[in-house]
Amino acid sequence: MARMLIRDLLLWLHWYPLRWLAQRLPPSWLHALGRGLGAVVALLARGKAAEFAAAMAAAPALAALPRRRRWVRRAFQNRLCNELEVLVFPRLGPARMAGFVRCDDWSELDAALARGQGAMLLLAHFGANQMAMPALGHAGYRMCQMGASPLVWRERISHRRFSPLEARTLELRWRHECALPVRHIDAFGSLRPAFACLRANQVLGIAIDGAAGSDWAEVDFLGARARFSTGALRIAARTGCAVLPTFLVREPSGVSRLEIGAPLEWGADPADPAALGAAIQDYARLLERRVIAQPCHYLPFLALRRMTALKEGEPPLLLETPSAPPGGLPA
């Protein structure tokens, strides 16, 4: 009961007084606030810090990195910056986007759309991945985003009870996401809107590392075998759209750099399972390089996937991982 009351108090502070403040701060001040709050939370939230540390230890390529304690602290700081940005979603516009996201090169996206078959931004839960939506929408691109509403967490996390305030804040988060200049497509619903988006020569954003989906490819990732959904590439194979690996990397200033890469290259038959697997492996290598360089951008998601696998029985992301050491965190 005490833990629920503390959680409710923190949620109330975040979604009411802090939301009012976040929507009025300049972006640089907002990011400074996120870094400061993240450093404090990293010291106080020992249980969550242990989850981040265990997720890092369970990925061999990350377990071998030095200064793991620093990466865990920076994971909290990046996560707080991400969460504060969600609070300002309804107040974002073209004039404010430069303080949150910059993109130095739109040429790959423009070239893909010039073909007239739509473009798919292949995303991962890396960094401020949700900021791709306002970045494109406020730059004038027509975009659809396939994903799950925050409301699904009430169903996916069954090992604890959600308080009325928690349920309310999930609704508020969804309202903020719906304020973004994109059309949302339910990842657990019909795929027809996704095909319609691409047929209209629009941009479809979709994450490849989530738990939704029914078909998977096993690839090498972070020193282990990992499961990535083939659903996005199957959509691309049927429509002929270009698939552009896309990442958001947070810079020291707090601004996220939007990187839209060259299209993934496929075999002669893009619907062939071997061609799908090879393309997903290519994307996994691109993601892996960024995760090893900036593990703080991916640790919260790795910890979430590990938690839902252990406590909810969901399929894990990493399949072949060593046992995490009991407690403690190396310097």
Side-chain angles (χ1 to χ4, degrees):
M1 177 62 73
R3 181 177 296 180
M4 180 177 291
L5 290 175
I6 293 173
R7 189 164 58 233
D8 276 359
L9 175 61
L10 294 175
L11 282 172
W12 181 84
L13 290 171
H14 181 82
W15 277 98
Y16 291 95
L18 193 54
R19 178 175 54 161
W20 181 90
L21 177 63
Q23 292 181 349
R24 287 157 179 81
L25 287 176
S28 59
W29 290 24
L30 184 72
H31 294 136
L33 176 62
R35 290 191 295 270
L37 289 176
V40 172
V41 174
L43 291 174
L44 300 179
R46 296 183 179 180
K48 184 61 68 175
E51 289 181 15
F52 286 6
M56 196 168 185
L62 300 184
L65 294 177
R67 296 184 290 181
R68 283 161 49 193
R69 190 183 300 274
R70 184 192 69 167
W71 289 122
V72 168
R73 182 183 72 253
R74 290 183 62 182
F76 277 99
Q77 293 176 307
N78 276 281
R79 183 177 181 183
L80 260 293
C81 286
N82 292 349
E83 292 301 315
L84 291 179
E85 287 173 342
V86 172
L87 299 181
V88 302
F89 278 176
R91 298 293 184 92
L92 291 177
R96 295 196 71 192
M97 284 310 303
F100 292 95
V101 178
R102 70 177 180 87
C103 182
D104 298 327
D105 188 359
W106 297 96
S107 61
E108 294 291 356
L109 178 58
D110 291 336
L113 292 174
R115 297 172 57 237
Q117 295 177 292
M120 178 181 290
L121 298 188
L122 200 58
L123 298 157
H125 292 83
F126 176 86
N129 62 292
Q130 285 191 306
M131 292 301 287
M133 293 184 280
L136 267 75
H138 289 306
Y141 293 94
R142 298 183 64 188
M143 181 179 180
C144 300
Q145 178 68 40
M146 178 172 284
S149 156
L151 305 179
V152 304
W153 287 111
R154 287 181 292 185
E155 303 170 2
R156 290 185 59 190
I157 298 181
S158 61
H159 67 274
R160 68 173 178 83
R161 184 169 62 88
F162 280 75
S163 71
L165 181 61
E166 283 183 287
R168 170 63 176 162
T169 57
L170 289 176
E171 294 172 359
L172 280 172
R173 187 184 186 96
W174 181 229
R175 187 184 303 171
H176 278 225
E177 292 181 12
C178 288
L180 295 173
V182 301
R183 179 185 178 189
H184 293 276
I185 300 174
D186 185 2
F188 296 97
S190 170
L191 294 179
R192 290 181 180 177
F195 288 109
C197 168
L198 294 171
R199 283 197 300 269
N201 198 32
Q202 298 176 7
V203 181
L204 175 65
I206 184 167
I208 195 174
D209 57 349
S214 56
D215 296 313
W216 310 88
E218 290 187 18
V219 298
D220 295 326
F221 182 61
L222 296 177
R225 296 291 287 175
R227 285 164 36 103
F228 286 86
S229 172
T230 63
L233 296 193
R234 291 185 184 279
I235 292 173
R238 290 178 58 182
T239 61
C241 71
V243 180
L244 308 175
T246 303
F247 302 95
L248 283 110
V249 180
R250 192 176 297 280
E251 299 179 333
S253 65
V255 175
S256 291
R257 184 177 69 256
L258 177 62
E259 301 176 352
I260 303 176
L264 291 178
E265 295 185 2
W266 292 33
D269 181 7
D272 178 68
L276 286 173
I280 291 173
Q281 181 66 78
D282 288 344
Y283 179 84
R285 290 193 185 100
L286 296 174
L287 174 60
E288 181 180 70
R289 287 202 295 269
R290 286 165 173 79
V291 174
I292 291 175
Q294 296 282 353
C296 54
H297 283 41
Y298 206 59
L299 271 184
F301 180 70
L302 281 178
L304 175 64
R305 287 297 305 271
R306 188 172 183 272
M307 182 273 290
T308 54
L310 292 174
K311 297 185 177 182
E312 302 296 331
E314 288 194 355
L317 176 64
L318 299 180
L319 300 176
E320 299 174 10
T321 58
S323 299
L329 178 65

